Amino acid sequence: MSYKVTEEGNIATIHLDGEIDMDVTEKAKEVIFPHIDAGKEVHLNLSNVQYMDSSGISVLIESHQKGLEKGTKVIIKDVSKSVLKVIMMAKLEQILNLE
Amino acid sequence: MSETAHQDHIEKKAFLVNSSSLKDVRSFCREVFEKLQIQEDLKDELVLAIAEAAQNIVKHAFKNSASPTELMVVQISCENNKLQIAFYDRGTPVDPKKVKHREIDNVKPGGLGTFFIQEIMDAVEFKDGKKPWINHLVLTKQL
């Protein structure tokens, strides 16, 4: 998994790239969580993530919940068809902020 | 159920029991499913189910601490359009009664892997592992 972060005002946009599985979840959390902890609105762009398993879904849930705790938002953007299918299988499309 | 008749085929491969093997498990599955000409959407689902089962071996049967040479075997077979995926490992014996996913409406991290496997596959069965194996999980799906 690789990533790119751009910050503009209070918005941190994080582009993840590659496959998100158990092997990379810690790295994904290390990239995402500090921005949420800093109170930033996080835009998580998943257009280049073609595979995500239950561990990756857990990172999305944890990020979402952390955002609520910190009084900010995590918005998941440009989800690929294959990842959206997994999000829907987990019945999270109404829970997570998807755009 | 697919209308395509899939060729009978059997293939197996051993992987080291660690999280970095999961991408190799997925690659192996994708290669076999290409040969079986399984359609793209179903292929993605099957790869997910198999990778989740392999992840459960790493995470639960070995509690993320397998020896560096420990192996798990994944075998994919197709006979009369019935797909069977078998997993063999030498981790802690699995008690099938304790294998359950979290309540899907109780949204929290974790507990989804088994749910995905059950959603995707027709049957999930733990069989007695024959020596040298301890656990033998079999997933089946009618194609």
Side-chain angles (χ1 to χ4, degrees):
Chain A
M1 182 199 80
S2 60
Y3 66 91
K4 187 178 87 178
V5 182
T6 52
E7 292 185 57
E8 206 172 310
N10 196 41
I11 296 174
T13 302
I14 303 170
H15 288 257
L16 298 181
D17 198 324
E19 300 195 325
I20 314 291
D21 67 5
M22 176 192 176
D23 199 37
V24 301
T25 49
E26 286 311 310
K27 186 176 169 188
K29 288 178 190 178
E30 282 170 19
V31 173
I32 300 165
F33 288 0
H35 297 285
I36 304 172
D37 287 335
K40 300 258 182 192
E41 181 173 308
V42 172
H43 294 185
L44 207 48
N45 188 302
L46 300 183
S47 58
N48 290 322
V49 175
Q50 297 306 321
Y51 174 86
M52 182 175 282
D53 68 6
S54 61
S55 299
I57 295 293
S58 287
V59 174
L60 299 185
I61 294 172
E62 226 175 316
S63 300
H64 177 77
Q65 293 179 337
K66 206 177 230 312
L68 293 176
E69 276 167 31
K70 298 285 174 186
T72 184
K73 267 201 290 194
V74 175
I75 300 172
I76 299 166
K77 294 191 162 227
D78 296 336
V79 187
S80 63
K81 187 181 151 212
S82 50
V83 173
L84 181 61
K85 211 170 147 186
V86 182
I87 289 173
M88 291 176 78
M89 205 187 300
K91 304 189 187 338
L92 290 169
E93 69 275 20
Q94 303 294 331
I95 308 278
L96 303 173
N97 299 313
L98 297 177
E99 272 185 13
Chain B
M1 201 181 294
S2 114
E3 290 171 6
T4 313
H6 300 275
Q7 206 174 4
D8 287 359
H9 187 87
I10 184 163
E11 209 162 324
K12 69 177 172 183
K13 193 168 180 179
F15 303 89
L16 288 172
V17 180
N18 61 49
S19 62
S20 54
S21 291
L22 296 175
K23 60 179 178 307
D24 303 324
V25 171
R26 297 196 294 271
S27 299
F28 167 66
C29 298
R30 286 174 185 135
E31 278 171 30
V32 176
F33 294 150
E34 280 291 320
K35 290 176 197 168
L36 288 170
Q37 296 183 307
I38 291 176
Q39 54 120 329
E40 209 62 34
D41 279 1
L42 178 59
K43 189 166 71 180
D44 287 347
E45 290 185 5
L46 292 168
V47 168
L48 177 65
I50 295 168
E52 294 290 355
Q55 182 183 154
N56 283 347
I57 294 173
V58 176
K59 204 195 275 188
H60 301 300
F62 286 90
K63 304 200 183 316
N64 291 316
S65 59
S67 84
T69 56
E70 189 67 47
L71 294 173
M72 57 183 168
V73 168
V74 180
Q75 177 179 290
I76 301 175
S77 56
C78 183
E79 195 179 350
N80 298 327
N81 262 16
K82 186 178 181 182
L83 187 70
Q84 180 172 285
I85 301 120
F87 300 81
Y88 301 86
D89 73 74
R90 298 189 306 168
T92 307
V94 174
D95 178 355
K97 288 187 223 97
K98 291 187 177 164
V99 179
K100 54 183 178 188
H101 58 80
R102 71 160 161 79
E103 291 296 321
I104 203 67
D105 295 331
N106 179 16
V107 178
K108 59 182 181 183
L112 280 173
T114 302
F115 175 75
F116 288 163
I117 295 168
Q118 290 174 349
E119 283 287 294
I120 295 164
M121 305 306 295
D122 295 335
V124 179
E125 191 181 1
F126 288 94
K127 297 189 171 181
D128 288 335
K130 293 199 173 70
K131 279 188 178 176
W133 305 108
I134 291 174
N135 295 309
H136 177 198
L137 170 68
V138 180
L139 311 180
T140 50
K141 177 101 177 167
Q142 191 67 43
L143 296 176

